[in-house]
Coordinates of all heavy atoms in Angstrom, one line a residue:
P6 N -4.1 11.3 16.8 CA -2.6 11.4 16.9 C -2.0 10.3 17.8 O -2.5 9.9 18.8 CB -2.3 12.8 17.5 CG -3.5 13.0 18.4 CD -4.7 12.2 17.8
I16 N -3.7 9.5 12.1 CA -4.4 8.6 11.4 C -5.9 8.9 11.4 O -6.5 9.5 12.4 CB -4.5 7.1 12.1 CG1 -2.9 6.6 11.9 CG2 -5.2 6.2 11.2 CD1 -2.1 7.0 13.3
V64 N -17.7 -13.2 -9.1 CA -17.9 -14.2 -8.1 C -18.9 -15.2 -8.2 O -20.1 -14.7 -8.3 CB -18.1 -13.5 -6.6 CG1 -18.2 -14.4 -5.5 CG2 -16.9 -12.5 -6.3
A68 N -21.5 -10.6 -11.5 CA -20.5 -9.4 -11.6 C -20.8 -8.5 -10.5 O -22.0 -8.2 -10.1 CB -20.7 -8.8 -13.0
T83 N -14.2 2.4 12.2 CA -14.5 2.7 13.7 C -13.4 2.5 14.7 O -12.7 1.4 14.5 CB -15.7 1.7 14.1 OG1 -16.9 1.8 13.3 CG2 -16.2 2.0 15.5
A89 N -1.4 6.4 23.8 CA -0.4 7.5 23.3 C 0.4 7.1 22.1 O 0.6 7.9 21.3 CB 0.5 7.8 24.5
S99 N -21.0 -4.9 5.5 CA -22.2 -4.2 5.6 C -23.0 -4.5 4.4 O -22.5 -5.1 3.4 CB -22.0 -2.7 5.9 OG -21.4 -2.2 4.7
E168 N 17.5 -7.7 -7.5 CA 16.3 -7.9 -8.1 C 16.3 -8.1 -9.6 O 16.2 -7.2 -10.5 CB 15.5 -6.7 -8.0 CG 15.1 -6.4 -6.3 CD 14.3 -7.6 -5.9 OE1 13.7 -8.3 -6.6 OE2 14.1 -7.8 -4.6
F185 N 9.4 -6.2 -18.7 CA 10.3 -5.2 -19.0 C 11.7 -5.5 -18.2 O 11.6 -5.9 -16.9 CB 9.8 -3.9 -18.7 CG 8.6 -3.6 -19.5 CD1 7.3 -3.8 -19.0 CD2 8.6 -2.9 -20.7 CE1 6.2 -3.5 -19.8 CE2 7.5 -2.7 -21.4 CZ 6.3 -2.9 -21.0
Q249 N 0.3 -7.7 -1.3 CA -0.2 -8.9 -1.4 C -1.1 -9.0 -2.6 O -2.3 -8.7 -2.5 CB -0.8 -9.7 -0.3 CG -1.3 -11.2 -0.6 CD -0.4 -12.1 -1.1 OE1 0.6 -12.5 -0.3 NE2 -0.5 -12.5 -2.3

Side-chain angles (χ1 to χ4, degrees):
I16 297 91
V64 178
T83 301
S99 64
E168 296 295 344
F185 301 88
Q249 170 63 66

